[in-house]
C-alpha cells in the first residue's frame, strides 16, 4: 500500500504490481498475501475463515477508525469470528505528544491516555486500538515489543526515516 494515514479500505481480488493508496487491504481470495509496512505505527492483521486484512494504524488511523471501518467491511463480506494480531509498535511510554494533541485523541479514544516515564503527555495507541477491537467482540494477540526501545525493529522517531518492517497475512 501507499499508506497515507487515512481511512480508505480496498478489496484486493487479484495479484497486481499496483500499490494502491489506502491504509487497509482485505481479500477473500486464497493465496493472495497482503502486507502492511510500519516504523512506529501498529501493523494490524485481521483474520477470519472468509476474509483477511492488513491495516496501518497510527494516531490518525486510530482517530479515523480505520480498524473499525475494516472490521465492518470484513463483516459485509461474510466474516463472522475475527481474530486480530497487533505487531510491534511504539509504546505509550515512548510516544510523547503535545498536550493539545493528547487531549484531542483521548477525547475520542479514552483508552489511549498515557504519559511518558518522565510524566509528559503521550498516547498509547495499542491500548486505544485494543479497546476498539474489544468493543467489536474481536479476539486479539498484541505484541509487547516497543520498536522505539528495541533496536532490532525500525522506528521513525528513533531516526529510521526510510526503513520499515512488515506484517503479512494470507487466507
Amino acid at each position: 500500500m501507499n499508506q497515507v494515514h487515512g481511512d480508505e479500505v480496498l478489496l484486493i481480488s487479484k495479484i497486481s504490481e499496483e500499490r494502491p493508496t489506502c491504509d487497509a487491504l482485505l481479500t477473500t481470495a486464497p493465496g493472495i498475501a497482503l502486507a502492511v509496512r510500519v516504523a512506529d505505527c501498529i501493523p494490524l492483521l485481521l483474520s477470519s475463515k472468509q476474509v483477511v486484512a492488513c491495516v496501518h494504524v497510527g494516531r490518525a488511523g486510530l482517530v479515523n477508525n480505520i480498524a473499525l471501518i475494516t472490521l465492518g467491511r470484513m463483516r459485509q463480506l461474510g466474516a463472522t469470528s475475527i481474530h486480530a494480531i497487533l505487531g510491534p509498535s511504539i509504546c505509550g511510554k515512548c510516544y510523547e505528544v503535545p498536550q493539545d494533541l493528547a487531549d484531542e485523541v483521548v477525547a475520542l479514544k479514552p483508552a489511549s491516555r498515557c504519559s511518558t516515564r518522565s510524566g509528559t503527555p503521550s498516547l498509547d495507541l495499542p491500548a486505544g486500538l485494543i479497546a476498539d477491537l474489544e468493543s467489536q467482540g474481536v479476539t486479539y494477540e498484541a505484541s509487547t515489543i516497543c520498536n522505539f526501545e528495541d533496536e532490532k525493529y525500525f522506528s521513525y522517531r528513533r531516526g529510521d526515516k526510510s526503513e520499515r518492517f512488515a506484517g503479512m497475512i494470507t487466507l
Side-chain angles (χ1 to χ4, degrees):
M1 293 177 275
N2 177 31
Q3 299 164 180
V4 293
H5 297 278
D7 64 0
E8 187 74 26
V9 179
L10 291 181
L11 176 65
I12 303 299
S13 57
K14 63 181 180 180
I15 296 173
S16 169
E17 296 292 321
E18 188 178 329
R19 281 186 48 191
T21 297
C22 61
D23 282 279
L25 297 173
L26 50 85
T27 190
T28 57
I32 293 180
L34 305 176
V36 55
R37 293 173 27 122
V38 296
D40 280 323
C41 298
I42 305 163
L44 174 64
L45 305 176
L46 299 168
S47 65
S48 72
K49 290 182 180 177
Q50 302 83 2
V51 187
V52 294
C54 66
V55 189
H56 170 239
V57 185
R59 176 190 43 81
L62 182 68
V63 169
N64 291 335
N65 294 313
I66 187 68
L68 296 176
I69 293 167
T70 305
L71 289 168
R73 290 282 306 277
M74 289 178 74
R75 288 186 172 121
Q76 288 172 351
L77 292 168
T80 51
S81 178
I82 301 172
H83 184 71
I85 298 173
L86 289 72
S89 64
I90 195 165
C91 74
K93 298 295 181 189
C94 293
Y95 187 33
E96 182 177 27
V97 296
Q99 185 66 58
D100 60 336
L101 182 58
D103 292 343
E104 288 175 29
V105 174
V106 169
L108 298 169
K109 304 291 180 179
S112 65
R113 179 182 306 278
C114 198
S115 59
T116 64
R117 287 173 185 81
S118 60
T120 58
S122 68
L123 294 170
D124 187 336
L125 300 182
L129 177 56
I130 288 168
D132 279 351
L133 296 171
E134 288 176 335
S135 78
Q136 299 298 304
V138 174
T139 60
Y140 68 91
E141 302 168 53
S143 173
T144 58
I145 296 169
C146 173
N147 63 303
F148 182 82
E149 296 172 333
D150 190 332
E151 292 190 14
K152 289 186 267 182
Y153 295 86
F154 298 114
S155 171
Y156 187 86
R157 282 191 167 219
R158 195 179 59 238
D160 300 325
K161 302 294 185 202
S162 62
E163 301 294 334
R164 303 289 184 266
F165 61 95
M168 297 181 70
I169 192 165
T170 186
L171 188 62

